[in-house]
Amino acid sequence: MNPAQEDDVVQLLTPSGARTSGEYDRWVEDVDDNELMSLYQDMVVVRRIDAEATALQRQGELALWPPLLGQEAAQVGSARALRTDDFVFSSYREHAVAYCRGVDLTDMTRVWRGNASSGWDPFGINMATPQVIIGAQTLHAVGYGMAIVNDGDDAVAVTYFGDGATSQGDVNEAMVFAASYQAPVIFFCQNNHWAISEPVGLQAQVPIARRAPGFGIPSVRVDGNDVLATLAVTREALHRARTGGGPTYIEALTYRMGPHTTADDPTKYRDANELEDWAAKDPIARLAAYFQERGLYTEDFQSSVKAKADDVAREMRAGCVNMAEPETMDVFKNVYSSPNSWLERQQDHYARYLATFDDTAADAEGSK
Amino acid sequence: MSSMTFGRAINAGLRKAMENDPKVVLMGEDIGKLGGVFRITEGLQKDFGEHRVMDSPLAEAGIMGTAIGMAYRGYRPVVEIQFDGFIYPAFDQIVCQVAKLHYRTQGKVKVPLTIRVPFGGGIGSPEHHSESPEAYFTHTSGLRVVSVSNPQDAYTVIQQAIASDDPVLYFEPKRRYHVKGEVNEGVDLSAESMESARVVTEGSDVTLVTYGPLVPTALDAAVAASDDGVSVEVIDLRSLAPIDFATVEASVRKTGRLVITHEAAQSGGLGAEIAASITERCFYYLEHAPVRVTGFDIPYPYSKLEFHHLPDLDRILDGVDRAMGRANSLSSLEG
């Protein structure tokens, strides 16, 4: 069976922008036109963030960037469902989630510019900094969820990962722990069909969401390019977690329309027709079509969204290119919480080494 | 002061830490009702409940990764790895996550995690149950590594490890669990740094550096050497990362000779680090090249042969003879 086969997939907006109805309607009853327009704006803004960051990389301002192009609905729909006190453990492509959590735009580029190991304070926005080791963060989310249970709280831990990560032991162990402890965790798998150059069929022979029930975790497949549907399924999962129902596994079917990162070339490994098929399911275009149908896609609306995206892009670019260079001796900082004699010695020796250049300069100056 | 076994002293230290801080939780396989395969956590689940002493699924990466998540939310997890050889499935979570989260987040996320590892051989176990993996972790920045050798240190250092905001690997020499000793339960934890080495017995001819399971063996060797007219100063490192080189250095400046002994394989092991560091610091004080007496570079052997692999009193004495320039097993090679 094709793991990407789209049976039993929750969808509330068709690719042509038609509103369908079903059992998930009740989770988005309160979503009025204003809310939908705001979801649309977020998707446009993050697509613009993504384009701007990709441009910054091409211009040599960023060392690398993992584009999210095509995954805006999966990320915005799920992230907008969360409460401030929920905690996100993501991978490295969740720029839209970070944006919705309120991460500072300069901070968003800091890591990719190579100016810091992390862009933001995880506790400032309740989102861990991006995880690079595939799937490792899923266990952290489950541990966080176990701690929520211990605290008697009703927050939820949400972890994002891709289809490739589902092959990792950590992700499978995370499901064992989540089920055993009934931890309030959402496993949000963005099946974007590609793990760098490897198609999802290499990771799974049946739909990925089918694995979770084997661990005792209910799962749902959702059209990841449908922002309303991802919002709905995430709300349901959050409700289950908050009311003691334990973990939920969501597989959002979406597509990575760009490269894995700015360092690879997808034309080498995938068919152009596939990209075309998915372009027809674009998450932003379908909401625009829905608005158009209902007379909401006015010039005013379009220009206000564009103005917002321009502002955000401008702010991000300025923050990125004007970022202060890190201090040399910061390389030794924060390895430990408390002093460590080995490191202090190396730091002292390196400072002395660097000082010899100052002395040389001073000597040269003196001999003139 | 009360007399208790090494294993009991760890239990008492865990209990004290749990009483003092409600955020201290224990996680691991079989640590609840059973009290762990070595009974180190015996009675703790009964007294503190299942939310503080958590039996884990059989998945070491899972235990380590979820402990990290607990730490994100302000807990201080103490994780038990059932046997040394079982730590490898958790290796990625330890070296890529536990060790680096503080650095990666510019100090925002603390991982005050204690990883208890019963380690070393000498108990006749099958494979994967007798290993000495400490060098993998001393090589990883961001981790602290300790190994204690007696009940008092076991009691004190486990509490210091739990109180540390840095992650600590706490290597327990399993063949010494039943050794008895006096323990002062009112010890002032801040009186001595967790990093400090201990001069176990003073001597003037050779400095013998060791830790964990071989400390009693090294002491026996020192007694035997003194019968032979050689005065051996024994140092119990206690902290393996960082090593208290100041104490080792002061001793070597006095004796001029250094022997290092550990159960772990020789190549790339802690003995190499100690020999190199002390040579850098004390080259002009050394009367002889540092000597290593270690396990062989082999997979841990089946139990009928393990006592050939493990340094014993006679192999250590032979090492002392090498450092002293006296007749030894390698004399014919050195001419």
Side-chain angles (χ1 to χ4, degrees), chain A residues 242-260:
Chain A
R242 292 197 210 291
T243 53
T248 302
Y249 191 100
I250 297 170
E251 179 190 358
L253 290 155
T254 181
Y255 194 75
R256 188 194 83 209
M257 298 188 72
H260 164 67

Side-chain angles (χ1 to χ4, degrees), chain A residues 56-315:
Chain A
L56 283 163
Q57 193 280 332
R58 298 304 186 213
Q59 292 157 3
E61 298 291 349
L62 297 179
L64 191 76
W65 180 258
L68 65 68
L69 183 66
Q71 299 178 222
E72 295 86 353
Q75 294 188 19
V76 169
S78 57
R80 287 278 298 266
L82 306 182
R83 247 172 31 193
T84 311
D85 63 336
D86 297 328
F87 205 104
V88 173
F89 292 86
S90 80
S91 180
Y92 43 77
R93 202 185 301 284
E94 281 73 34
H95 315 302
V97 179
Y99 175 75
C100 291
R101 296 303 280 169
V103 67
D104 175 84
L105 293 162
T106 304
D107 287 348
M108 203 179 286
T109 62
R110 204 174 289 280
V111 169
W112 307 106
R113 193 171 168 84
N115 279 38
S117 326
S118 71
W120 59 80
D121 176 353
F123 303 110
I125 58 167
N126 279 352
M127 178 172 178
T129 51
Q131 177 63 252
V132 171
I133 298 288
I134 301 300
Q137 74 280 9
T138 58
L139 282 167
H140 306 168
V142 174
Y144 193 94
M146 288 159 61
I148 290 172
V149 172
N150 272 13
D151 292 342
D153 197 358
D154 74 341
V156 177
V158 184
T159 180
Y160 289 85
F161 52 99
D163 43 301
T166 61
S167 296
Q168 289 278 353
D170 280 6
V171 176
N172 290 275
E173 293 189 22
M175 286 197 274
V176 171
F177 277 69
S180 296
Y181 294 104
Q182 284 297 286
V185 177
I186 296 176
F187 291 90
F188 197 95
C189 173
Q190 288 174 87
N191 177 356
N192 71 9
H193 290 75
W194 289 92
I196 307 189
S197 69
E198 299 188 343
V200 63
L202 196 59
Q203 320 289 342
Q205 289 300 302
V206 297
I208 288 171
R210 284 202 199 163
R211 293 185 189 177
F215 290 95
I217 299 175
S219 69
V220 58
R221 304 184 91 201
V222 62
D223 182 338
N225 285 10
D226 175 350
V227 73
L228 198 58
T230 56
L231 180 70
V233 298
T234 310
R235 282 180 168 184
E236 183 197 36
L238 286 165
H239 175 75
R240 178 176 297 131
R242 292 197 210 291
T243 53
T248 302
Y249 191 100
I250 297 170
E251 179 190 358
L253 290 155
T254 181
Y255 194 75
R256 188 194 83 209
M257 298 188 72
H260 164 67
T261 70
T262 45
D264 72 315
D265 173 8
T267 63
K268 284 189 135 172
Y269 53 80
R270 70 184 183 192
D271 192 338
N273 292 330
E274 187 180 288
L275 188 62
E276 229 171 89
D277 289 349
W278 279 94
K281 301 176 192 170
D282 188 280
I284 295 179
R286 77 172 65 181
L287 201 47
Y290 173 75
F291 290 148
Q292 211 144 23
E293 185 68 24
R294 308 194 48 234
L296 297 168
Y297 202 59
T298 61
E299 274 185 27
D300 273 1
F301 173 60
Q302 291 180 59
S303 63
S304 87
V305 169
K306 184 176 181 307
K308 172 73 178 174
D310 286 347
D311 285 349
V312 166
R314 223 182 345 259
E315 191 189 329

